[in-house]
Amino acid sequence: MLKQWRLTCAASFLWSIWLARNELVFNKKRLSFDEIMFLAKLHSFYWVKASKEGCIVIESQWWSNPRLCVPCSKGEGPRFGIVWHAPPCGVIKFTVDGAARGKSGPAGCGGVLRDHRGKF
């Protein structure tokens, strides 16, 4: 599993470089190293999450240290961190989170609805 995760991240990094090259060639827009790394982490997060159904990858931890989010095996969850707990059967759970930079800085929030099986 770890080897596949590393290959996915490497492919994501190369894909992000390719996209940055296309932005420069076709749109005359130069992406910074930080923007390329952001794209690489974003793509690898979605690719790792989609590659193994049933594995839990926690997005908030992915941004700070992706290596800690590698699922141990199907359905076991990450090695470290918070694990989502399912609601009772017949109940939908609405999980939300938010962040802000400073008192009047940019802010964002998001949420997800899931049933007792973790399905949307």
Side-chain angles (χ1 to χ4, degrees):
M1 178 74 175
L2 187 58
K3 182 178 179 181
Q4 179 185 359
W5 179 85
R6 286 182 179 155
L7 290 173
T8 299
C9 290
S12 173
F13 185 70
L14 293 174
W15 178 250
S16 298
I17 291 173
W18 177 256
L19 293 176
R21 175 247 178 226
N22 287 347
E23 282 294 317
L24 181 62
V25 170
F26 298 113
N27 299 324
K28 306 291 187 242
K29 181 181 177 190
R30 182 178 302 271
L31 297 178
S32 69
F33 179 76
D34 289 338
E35 290 171 316
I36 294 170
M37 289 304 296
F38 172 80
L39 286 174
K41 286 177 95 172
L42 180 67
H43 291 132
S44 58
F45 170 73
Y46 286 121
W47 291 354
V48 166
K49 195 168 172 113
S51 67
K52 292 290 182 185
E53 187 177 330
C55 286
I56 300 169
V57 182
I58 299 172
E59 186 175 6
S60 61
Q61 288 181 343
W62 183 264
W63 293 106
S64 60
N65 191 349
R67 289 183 14 205
L68 296 179
C69 296
V70 179
C72 301
S73 66
K74 186 174 181 179
E76 282 187 19
R79 293 180 188 181
F80 301 99
I82 301 166
V83 177
W84 179 79
H85 297 284
C89 185
V91 174
I92 295 177
K93 187 173 188 177
F94 185 46
T95 306
V96 296
D97 193 14
R101 180 179 286 173
K103 285 186 177 180
S104 60
C109 65
V112 63
L113 288 168
R114 296 190 212 181
D115 65 9
H116 65 281
R117 295 170 301 194
K119 302 292 181 188
F120 297 101

